[in-house]
Amino acid sequence: MKKVMPYLCNVYDRWSNKRLIRRLALLLALAISTGAVSAQSTVPSVGMLGEFKKKSLVGSWVETFTFVGGPRDGFVGTALVNYNSDGTLIGPQGGPITFDPDPAKASITSEGAGSWTQTEWNTFVYTSYALFSDFIGNVVGSLKVKGIYHLDLPSRDGYQGYSFYEVLDKDMKPLVPPVTGFVTNVGKRLTVDLKVPPLPSQP
């Protein structure tokens, strides 16, 4: 009996160690999977799961921008911009056209395109680019804009912030001397209007 007891104790210890190892392995697996979920949920476009997804720029916006300083100080413009769930954005630089009898001197600005990311609970940073082309189709320059926005809470239907713009050459390199400036930004979310009037009946 004295020999049996140590043997049983050793078996119990080994069995307990195996259970402990299994538990630790399970906890490690859970930790890794949780980390993977967290990593996947912190992609730039969405932020963290749950509340972070609710506090997001994803959607379409009408934005008012006001130039600060420089030759266009005080000029106010309006544009549409779309923030996609994959961290890309479209807008808002497109539209301006400069007419000239010489098509090589006339220019048009492309739609803006870029990326955005969530850096804090309600803070977002973006960078976008737009191209300047003449009427022949040659790229003559570009525009780089980067800014920081703060989402209005708790409504999540507006944002405020500012942007820094820089005019680049056709190779996307800064001009010498540089042409730069700032604008302030105020955005309002575009929502679905559910009140669609009925189609008039045909006579």
Side-chain angles (χ1 to χ4, degrees):
M1 185 65 180
K2 291 182 180 179
K3 294 183 179 180
V4 173
M5 288 304 294
Y7 171 77
L8 291 177
C9 290
N10 290 334
V11 170
Y12 178 79
D13 289 341
R14 288 197 297 270
W15 182 69
S16 298
N17 288 336
K18 288 182 179 179
R19 288 184 62 188
L20 179 60
I21 291 173
R22 288 173 183 169
R23 287 182 180 179
L24 290 175
L26 178 59
L27 290 175
L28 179 61
L30 288 174
I32 293 174
S33 64
T34 303
V37 171
S38 297
Q40 294 171 3
S41 65
T42 54
V43 292
S45 60
V46 179
M48 293 177 64
L49 288 174
E51 291 302 311
F52 260 44
K53 284 186 176 181
K54 296 178 182 179
K55 297 172 175 59
S56 172
L57 282 182
V58 172
S60 299
W61 302 76
V62 57
E63 181 184 288
T64 301
F65 53 92
T66 306
F67 284 81
V68 179
R72 306 192 72 186
D73 183 44
F75 175 82
V76 179
T78 304
L80 297 176
V81 58
N82 198 78
Y83 294 93
N84 305 313
S85 60
D86 62 354
T88 59
L89 69 88
I90 299 296
Q93 289 85 19
I97 300 175
T98 302
F99 293 97
D100 191 279
D102 184 349
K105 294 181 180 179
S107 66
I108 184 170
T109 305
S110 74
E111 194 72 36
S115 302
W116 65 279
T117 187
Q118 184 172 5
T119 59
E120 297 291 344
W121 186 249
N122 69 322
T123 303
F124 304 84
V125 176
Y126 80 95
T127 302
S128 67
Y129 294 86
L131 300 178
F132 302 135
S133 303
D134 60 26
F135 277 16
I136 300 175
N138 301 311
V139 175
V140 296
S142 59
L143 178 69
K144 178 182 179 180
V145 185
K146 53 186 177 181
I148 181 169
Y149 293 160
H150 301 286
L151 191 67
D152 295 342
L153 298 178
S155 70
R156 305 188 298 275
D157 289 332
Y159 64 74
Q160 300 182 41
Y162 72 92
S163 302
F164 172 79
Y165 67 85
E166 181 178 18
V167 180
L168 310 176
D169 64 17
K170 62 180 181 180
D171 297 318
M172 291 191 169
K173 295 180 180 179
L175 299 179
V176 180
V179 178
T180 61
F182 288 89
V183 297
T184 58
N185 309 87
V186 177
K188 181 179 180 182
R189 188 184 296 276
L190 298 176
T191 58
V192 177
D193 187 350
L194 299 177
K195 298 179 180 179
V196 180
L199 182 69
S201 57
Q202 298 297 323

